[in-house]
């Protein structure tokens, strides 16, 4: 975390309250939505580990403001995105933070990704939990309402469809195909936002539409992508044991991951041909899987997954546990924040009840992503 956000651990509470996040090597104008979402979560985890969490919550809040002031604006920074205002900064969504223009011929330009946006909503929800300030959960709901009708089409049909990537102004799809996890992310995160809000109808229509997609989507789930598999395990764990689709989806993702290890030999390939941050996403999901594994599964099953996590982290430690990390400059921020999260993804059960924002203790138990590294050592998450 320090390699991305500087020596924040030396700041006084007063300095933390006015801290300006340094521009990252990654992202347009130094901000990238996925990376900064994990940054927020990691700051909150640090705060949950100490008796005075305020400074770390302040750092998370300052990072949130920086993201909204950069990625919630047009690329030239002169105005809010269409539909947004200073009073409603997320009513126009949030840019990905890609360095190239959205119509870049390479096809990897700026725009808006549904799965980045839902991860950011989750980070805002966790900040509301950590601070007791409902404003952040309300902002997440504002964002949810703004982006849902742009990404989801045929909303009145039995099986709505989704776009994977939208333009910066949300006026047109840039990638018309549907993401593997997008409707599942939407269902889970929107449900968490609604539960924290306390009004069981605030996102009811949107949740219902995601559920209709989800009911067909998960049945055909298959993946050979380590990050996709890890994030599937993480997303599903919120409803494992509560809703049958989540339990079965988690099982399918675990089966795919086993095949990736044992049949494809993915993790036998030298690390120079792999990407660290994608595998840290695997580790995050596997830790959630292990924590969710019942006693009847046996120690052998848990040992298998714990050994895989250790193998992956050990393979990358010589690369990331050094100053500076031996990672290409543009990949360093996303790699390091996900390494921090992979070390200790936190507890797996969500304790927010209707009309109640969770406490600092709840956050330490709930946080679905996060710890941080200080001076090269992992900070353990208390149970």
């Amino acid at each position: 975390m320090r390699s991305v956000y500087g020596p924040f651990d030396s700041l006084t509470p007063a300095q933390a309250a006015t801290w300006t996040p340094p521009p990252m090597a990654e992202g347009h104008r130094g901000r990238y939505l996925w990376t900064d979402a994990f940054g927020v979560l990691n700051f909150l985890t640090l705060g949950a580990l100490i008796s005075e969490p305020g400074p770390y919550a302040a750092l998370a809040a300052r990072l949130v403001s920086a993201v909204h002031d950069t990625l919630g604006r047009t690329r030239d920074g002169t105005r809010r995105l269409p539909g947004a205002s200073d009073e409603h900064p997320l009513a126009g969504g949030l840019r990905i933070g890609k360095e190239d223009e959205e119509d870049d011929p390479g096809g990897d330009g700026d725009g808006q990704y549904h799965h980045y946006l839902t991860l950011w909503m989750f980070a805002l929800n966790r900040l509301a939990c950590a601070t007791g300030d409902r404003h952040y959960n309300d902002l997440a709901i504002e964002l949810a309402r703004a982006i849902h009708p742009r990404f989801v089409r045929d909303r009145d049909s039995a099986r709505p469809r989704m776009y994977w990537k939208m333009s910066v102004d949300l006026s047109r799809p840039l990638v018309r195909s549907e993401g593997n996890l997008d409707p599942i992310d939407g269902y889970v995160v929107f449900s968490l936002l609604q539960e924290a809000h306390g009004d069981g109808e605030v996102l009811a229509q949107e949740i219902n539409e995601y559920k209709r997609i989800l009911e067909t989507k998960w049945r055909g789930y298959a993946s050979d992508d380590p990050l996709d598999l890890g994030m599937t395990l993480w997303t599903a764990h919120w409803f494992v044991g509560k809703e049958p689709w989540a339990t079965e989806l988690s099982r399918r993702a675990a089966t795919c991951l086993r095949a990736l290890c044992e049949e494809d030999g993915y993790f036998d390939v030298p690390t120079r041909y792999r990407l660290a941050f994608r595998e840290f996403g695997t580790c995050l999901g596997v830790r959630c899987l292990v924590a969710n594994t019942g006693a009847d599964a046996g120690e052998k099953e848990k040992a298998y997954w714990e050994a895989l996590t250790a193998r992956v982290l050990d393979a990358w430690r010589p690369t990331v546990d050094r100053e500076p990390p031996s990672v290409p400059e543009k990949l360093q921020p996303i790699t390091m924040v996900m390494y921090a999260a992979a070390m200790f993804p936190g507890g797996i059960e969500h304790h927010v009840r209707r009309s109640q924002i969770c406490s600092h203790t709840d956050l330490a138990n709930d946080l679905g992503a996060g710890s941080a590294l200080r001076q090269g050592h992992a900070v353990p998450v208390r149970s």
Side-chain angles (χ1 to χ4, degrees), residues 126-173:
R126 298 293 87 188
L127 183 54
C129 289
T131 62
D133 188 344
R134 294 176 178 274
H135 170 67
Y136 294 108
N137 197 71
D138 290 343
L139 280 175
I141 291 173
E142 176 178 286
L143 180 58
R145 285 173 161 168
I147 65 105
H148 180 83
R150 305 304 182 97
F151 278 92
V152 180
R153 60 188 176 89
D154 303 329
R155 296 174 64 188
D156 294 329
S157 67
R159 205 289 194 187
R161 302 286 173 177
M162 293 185 66
Y163 298 123
W164 187 64
K165 183 179 182 181
M166 294 293 293
S167 59
V168 166
D169 64 3
L170 292 173
S171 67
R172 58 192 174 95

Side-chain angles (χ1 to χ4, degrees), residues 51-373:
S51 58
E52 294 294 334
Y56 286 107
L59 294 174
R62 293 291 294 174
L63 181 53
V64 163
S65 294
V67 168
H68 293 175
D69 286 342
T70 303
L71 301 183
R73 292 182 177 273
T74 53
R75 287 176 60 83
D76 61 11
T78 60
R79 59 192 184 280
R80 296 281 184 186
L81 295 179
S85 64
D86 289 346
E87 293 75 24
H88 299 284
L90 302 190
L94 289 168
R95 295 188 292 113
I96 299 164
K98 297 279 188 180
E99 294 187 17
D100 294 326
E101 296 281 353
E102 65 184 8
D103 293 321
D104 179 73
D108 193 31
D110 213 354
Q112 298 202 31
Y113 281 149
H114 186 274
H115 61 295
Y116 280 30
L117 292 163
T118 49
L119 183 64
W120 188 253
M121 294 174 208
F122 177 78
L124 291 174
N125 171 265
R126 298 293 87 188
L127 183 54
C129 289
T131 62
D133 188 344
R134 294 176 178 274
H135 170 67
Y136 294 108
N137 197 71
D138 290 343
L139 280 175
I141 291 173
E142 176 178 286
L143 180 58
R145 285 173 161 168
I147 65 105
H148 180 83
R150 305 304 182 97
F151 278 92
V152 180
R153 60 188 176 89
D154 303 329
R155 296 174 64 188
D156 294 329
S157 67
R159 205 289 194 187
R161 302 286 173 177
M162 293 185 66
Y163 298 123
W164 187 64
K165 183 179 182 181
M166 294 293 293
S167 59
V168 166
D169 64 3
L170 292 173
S171 67
R172 58 192 174 95
L174 298 180
V175 179
R176 304 182 74 89
S177 57
E178 188 172 272
N180 213 21
L181 270 180
D182 284 358
I184 301 169
D185 289 337
Y187 177 77
V188 168
V189 173
F190 280 44
S191 295
L192 297 178
L193 301 182
Q194 180 168 276
E195 186 176 16
H197 184 272
D199 178 352
E201 298 298 319
V202 68
L203 292 172
Q205 179 180 347
E206 292 85 351
I207 291 169
N208 177 266
E209 290 165 10
Y210 284 127
K211 187 65 177 291
R212 279 184 275 144
I213 306 174
L214 180 155
E215 288 293 351
T216 59
K217 191 77 172 179
W218 72 264
R219 299 176 192 277
Y221 179 84
S223 178
D224 60 1
D225 181 280
L227 178 58
D228 182 87
L229 290 167
M231 296 309 292
T232 298
L233 291 169
W234 174 80
T235 304
H237 88 263
W238 291 94
F239 285 88
V240 166
K242 300 176 182 178
E243 298 189 14
W245 69 264
T247 304
E248 177 60 19
L249 179 62
S250 183
R251 187 194 67 79
R252 291 188 181 201
T255 299
C256 289
L257 185 54
R258 271 187 180 269
L260 192 66
C261 299
E262 299 172 5
E263 299 173 19
D264 298 344
Y266 178 90
F267 297 106
D268 296 329
V269 176
T271 55
R272 64 180 177 274
Y273 300 116
R274 293 149 51 187
L275 284 173
F277 76 88
R278 303 191 74 81
E279 297 179 20
F280 295 150
T282 309
C283 294
L284 187 156
V286 167
R287 289 190 184 279
C288 292
L289 174 67
V290 169
N292 243 9
T293 300
D296 56 339
E299 292 302 314
K300 185 177 180 180
E301 180 75 6
K302 290 186 177 182
Y304 177 90
W305 295 116
E306 288 169 351
L308 174 62
T309 301
R311 177 185 177 190
V312 172
L313 294 176
D314 287 346
W316 287 110
R317 280 195 176 97
T319 300
V320 296
D321 273 354
R322 55 192 300 173
E323 293 187 8
S326 182
V327 178
E329 184 181 22
K330 295 293 185 181
L331 291 178
Q332 182 175 311
I334 193 171
T335 299
M336 298 310 291
V337 297
M338 293 200 68
Y339 181 40
M343 294 296 293
F344 292 91
I348 63 171
E349 292 189 355
H350 184 70
H351 298 295
V352 177
R353 289 177 282 277
R354 291 180 186 272
S355 304
Q356 177 183 354
I357 291 293
C358 58
S359 67
H360 297 298
T361 302
D362 290 329
L363 178 69
N365 292 332
D366 285 353
L367 198 57
S371 179
L373 301 178

